[in-house]
C-alpha cells in the first residue's frame, strides 16, 4: 500500500472542505525534500489527526509545521508505526502522536493570531426574536423608559 493511501482513506470520512484542505497539505508534504527518507511517517499520523485539524493555516504553512513535528519525533513515530500495536489497533495506536500534532498546530495558529499575521474572518451571526426574551432585541426593541 502506498503510504498516502492511509491518509486518503481517512479523508473519506471528513467533510469535503476539510478533506480538500488536508489533501493540499499532503501534496505540500510530498514535495518537501526534508521528508524524502521519512515521508512514510507523515501519513499515518496525519490520518489519525485529520478529524481535529482545523483548515486555518495556509496548506504550505501547515505542512511546514508538520515537517518540523515529524523531524522532531520521527524515532518515536517510527517505533509506534512498526509496533505490533499499530498492526492490531491501526490508527488508534497513533492517537498520542495525533494529539501532539494537533496541539502543535493549535499553538502555531494561536501564535499567528497573536502576532497579527493571521486574521480570521468569521461571519457574525445576528439572531432576532419577537418573543421579548433575551437581552438583545436590536433593531426591533423599543426603548425602555425609566420612570
Amino acid at each position: 500500500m502506498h503510504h498516502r493511501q492511509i491518509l486518503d482513506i481517512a479523508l473519506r470520512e471528513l467533510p469535503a472542505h476539510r478533506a480538500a484542505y488536508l489533501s493540499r497539505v499532503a501534496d505540500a508534504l510530498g514535495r518537501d525534500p526534508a521528508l524524502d527518507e521519512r515521508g512514510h511517517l507523515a501519513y499515518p499520523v496525519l490520518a489519525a489527526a485529520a478529524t481535529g485539524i482545523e483548515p486555518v493555516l495556509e496548506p504550505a504553512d501547515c505542512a511546514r509545521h508538520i515537517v518540523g513535528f515529524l523531524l522532531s519525533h520521527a524515532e518515536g513515530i517510527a517505533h509506534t508505526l512498526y509496533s505490533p500495536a499499530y498492526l492490531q489497533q491501526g490508527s488508534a495506536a497513533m492517537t498520542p502522536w495525533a494529539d501532539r500534532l494537533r496541539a502543535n498546530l493549535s499553538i502555531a495558529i494561536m501564535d499567528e493570531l497573536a502576532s497579527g499575521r493571521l486574521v480570521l474572518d468569521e461571519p457574525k451571526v445576528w439572531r432576532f426574536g419577537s418573543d421579548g426574551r433575551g437581552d438583545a432585541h436590536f433593531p426591533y426593541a423599543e426603548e425602555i423608559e425609566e420612570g
Side-chain angles (χ1 to χ4, degrees), residues 34-72:
L35 293 182
D36 284 346
E37 299 295 321
R38 297 185 175 151
H40 65 286
L41 301 176
Y43 301 111
V45 175
L46 192 54
T51 58
I53 295 177
E54 293 297 326
V56 175
L57 298 172
E58 290 296 320
D61 194 30
C62 183
R64 184 177 53 80
H65 288 289
I66 292 171
V67 168
F69 175 82
L70 290 171
L71 295 178
S72 298

